[in-house]
């Protein structure tokens, strides 16, 4: 789809590549710091995610597959959207879909609509690909604030799941949105 500029915001969305992986990892580290400062350790823990080889490899693979899209302001990455195949713990959809595998925004810009802007972009990508369904999964623990965020963006909660993490279970929620 190329670069898209929204005149109501000073944010562009462009495709990301391998060179953008460190910026995405920095966004994830910022999100962990923000969550930790609020006592919300369940989603991503307390340690910087940039130290995770597994996650860095995953973001690199999303970029290599053409599924990484970045919200940028000038030369600064302020958000990242990754689309691709659903993770193994989520069953495939019975129809053509676009799956959001990553959504993170710069926590230094709260309330500016960056997540909304990237989800809108994901909807356009889905429609352009012929998909009638957009799905995402997220952390469903604590007070389910992230689930409520996606519901406020027009998604409907469908499948709840858990992922084993050592002796604990990470609670998750799949959400979907039908596209016209």
């Amino acid at each position: 789809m190329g670069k898209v500029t929204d005149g109501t915001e000073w944010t562009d969305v462009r495709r990301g590549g391998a060179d953008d992986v460190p910026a995405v990892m920095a966004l994830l580290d910022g999100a962990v710091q923000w969550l930790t400062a609020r006592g919300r350790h369940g989603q991503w823990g307390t340690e910087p995610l940039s130290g995770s080889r597994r996650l860095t490899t995953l973001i690199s693979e999303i970029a290599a597959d053409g599924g990484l899209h970045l919200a940028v302001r000038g030369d600064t990455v302020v958000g990242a959207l990754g689309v691709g195949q659903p993770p193994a713990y989520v069953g495939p959809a019975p129809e053509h879909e676009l799956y959001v595998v990553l959504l993170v925004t710069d926590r230094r810009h709260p309330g500016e609509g960056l997540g909304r802007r990237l989800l809108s972009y994901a909807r356009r990508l889905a429609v352009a690909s012929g998909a009638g369904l957009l799905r995402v999964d997220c952390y469903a623990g604590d007070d389910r604030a992230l689930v409520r965020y996606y519901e406020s963006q027009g998604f409907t909660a469908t499948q709840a799941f858990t992922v084993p993490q050592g002796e604990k279970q990470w609670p998750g929620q799949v959400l979907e949105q039908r596209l016209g």
Side-chain angles (χ1 to χ4, degrees), residues 68-132:
L68 183 62
H69 305 273
L70 304 174
V72 294
R73 292 183 173 165
D75 292 332
T76 304
V77 175
V78 294
L81 166 74
V83 295
Q85 295 300 311
Y89 51 81
V90 173
E95 63 189 272
H96 180 53
E97 71 172 326
L98 187 70
Y99 201 94
V100 174
V101 294
L102 170 71
L103 181 67
V104 62
T105 61
D106 190 329
R107 298 311 311 161
R108 294 173 298 183
H109 298 281
E112 294 181 16
L114 293 170
R116 176 183 46 78
R117 171 106 167 88
L118 287 167
L119 288 172
S120 177
Y121 189 79
R123 287 181 200 96
R124 289 196 304 274
L125 288 171
V127 169
S129 77

Side-chain angles (χ1 to χ4, degrees), residues 49-62:
L49 294 175
S50 56
S52 167
R53 176 169 283 175
R54 182 193 65 78
L55 188 57
T56 302
T57 299
L58 175 65
I59 302 302
S60 297
E61 289 171 354
I62 294 168

